[in-house]
Amino acid sequence: MENESLDNISLSDIQLFLINAERLYNDSKTVSIPTKVALIEISLEEVAKGWFFMLKFLKRHPMKLSIAENFIESDAINKIPTDELNEFSKKFSDLVDRAESFTYNDLKYHEKKIKILHLTKQWIQNILDLEIKYPFLILTSYEKISEFATRGIIRERVNTNEIINVLQITKEILSQINEDKLEKITKLKEYGFYVDITPSGHVKSPTILTESSLNLNYLEIFLQMLIDVLKFLCNMVIG
């Protein structure tokens, strides 16, 4: 695909990446730890592509971009100060503009996809800030995020304080994610999945990865947020 072909991006194209990312992530929950790491890493790559194409699509369709910038439900708009709404819309518009510096060929390079994920993470943190301040805006799957963030039993009914607590925990976890940590999971996949050759020329067995030796919790929360928010945007833009 040449860069010019990006003008032909459709929402169905974006949904294919989203569906595949979600499938890979769901598959990661029922396999061995090394395979889990590999599937999470591949799912992150697929959702990065989904976000790349979504941001490119919105840049090329101003009316759809306007919908995405003002995604808050009409019955909630009057509950939020106009200056806060405008600031949030501007931050999303800035994200779309920054994505223009990436080309389709960049998707061949892992470090470029990591940069796309990191930019998107910064915007998702803005969503969490808004949701913490105005819990009635919850856009992501609270039950899924709560399960990861608290590792507790999900009640059938939750109150506002519980929601805010989970969102604050999630925000704190996401704040720890940087490009280095996103790069680390690729190395974990390589060390735990492949037989390797050492500098001395000897064959080295894959590193034994165990649940206790890893902390994939923050990556799973991040991945779930990426999937949830992209799905929300797709559904909203489709109308």
Side-chain angles (χ1 to χ4, degrees):
M1 179 190 291
E2 298 296 330
N3 287 332
E4 292 78 7
S5 302
L6 293 175
D7 292 335
N8 300 319
I9 299 168
S10 69
L11 286 171
S12 60
D13 296 327
I14 298 165
Q15 287 177 312
L16 287 176
F17 288 108
L18 181 56
I19 290 169
N20 200 39
E22 193 163 29
R23 177 186 64 80
L24 289 163
Y25 177 45
N26 287 334
D27 288 349
S28 77
K29 300 173 185 178
T30 58
V31 294
S32 66
I33 297 300
T35 306
K36 178 185 181 76
V37 171
L39 289 175
I40 288 177
E41 190 271 336
I42 298 170
S43 181
L44 281 168
E45 289 197 12
E46 289 295 274
V47 80
K49 294 176 189 175
W51 273 100
F52 169 86
F53 283 111
M54 171 59 85
L55 297 173
K56 294 288 186 179
F57 172 85
L58 292 173
K59 185 68 174 180
R60 286 153 179 76
H61 297 83
M63 290 185 65
K64 298 293 188 182
L65 175 58
S66 178
I67 293 172
E69 287 175 341
N70 302 282
F71 64 89
I72 297 173
E73 299 292 339
S74 58
D75 62 346
I77 287 179
N78 293 332
K79 302 177 183 178
I80 303 175
T82 302
D83 59 339
E84 290 189 54
L85 291 174
N86 291 339
E87 179 65 18
F88 188 81
S89 295
K90 183 181 182 302
K91 287 179 179 178
F92 185 70
S93 182
D94 289 344
L95 173 63
V96 172
D97 289 339
R98 293 186 72 178
E100 281 298 290
S101 64
F102 296 91
T103 66
Y104 174 77
N105 287 332
D106 285 336
L107 294 181
K108 299 176 182 177
Y109 304 101
H110 189 73
E111 64 272 15
K112 295 291 186 179
K113 285 178 280 191
I114 286 176
K115 287 185 181 297
I116 292 170
L117 290 175
H118 193 252
L119 286 174
T120 306
K121 185 214 78 166
Q122 292 174 324
W123 180 69
I124 288 177
Q125 285 180 300
N126 295 327
I127 292 179
L128 289 173
D129 285 334
L130 209 59
E131 290 178 338
I132 289 170
K133 193 169 184 179
Y134 306 106
F136 53 81
L137 287 176
I138 299 297
L139 306 176
T140 54
S141 175
Y142 168 74
E143 286 78 11
K144 292 178 183 177
I145 301 303
S146 179
E147 182 181 357
F148 288 123
T150 65
R151 291 298 182 186
I153 298 174
I154 306 304
R155 298 180 177 87
E156 291 184 7
R157 299 179 64 184
V158 294
N159 60 41
T160 299
N161 289 334
E162 287 177 301
I163 293 175
I164 292 175
N165 181 55
V166 169
L167 292 174
Q168 287 173 331
I169 293 172
T170 304
K171 180 185 174 184
E172 182 179 342
I173 291 173
L174 290 190
S175 69
Q176 300 172 28
I177 294 177
N178 52 39
E179 293 182 26
D180 289 340
K181 283 193 175 181
L182 290 173
E183 183 66 33
K184 182 180 178 181
I185 192 172
T186 303
K187 295 179 180 178
L188 282 175
K189 182 188 74 172
E190 292 172 355
Y191 295 153
F193 217 58
Y194 303 113
V195 172
D196 199 5
I197 304 295
T198 67
S200 63
H202 295 90
V203 174
K204 177 179 178 296
S205 297
T207 301
I208 297 176
L209 302 178
T210 63
E211 192 84 46
S212 59
S213 67
L214 297 172
N215 180 13
L216 296 177
N217 192 31
Y218 70 96
L219 281 170
E220 290 189 68
I221 290 175
F222 182 40
L223 178 54
Q224 186 68 65
M225 294 286 286
L226 288 166
I227 289 172
D228 279 351
V229 179
L230 182 57
K231 186 185 297 183
F232 181 88
L233 277 177
C234 280
N235 292 337
M236 182 183 59
V237 172
I238 287 172

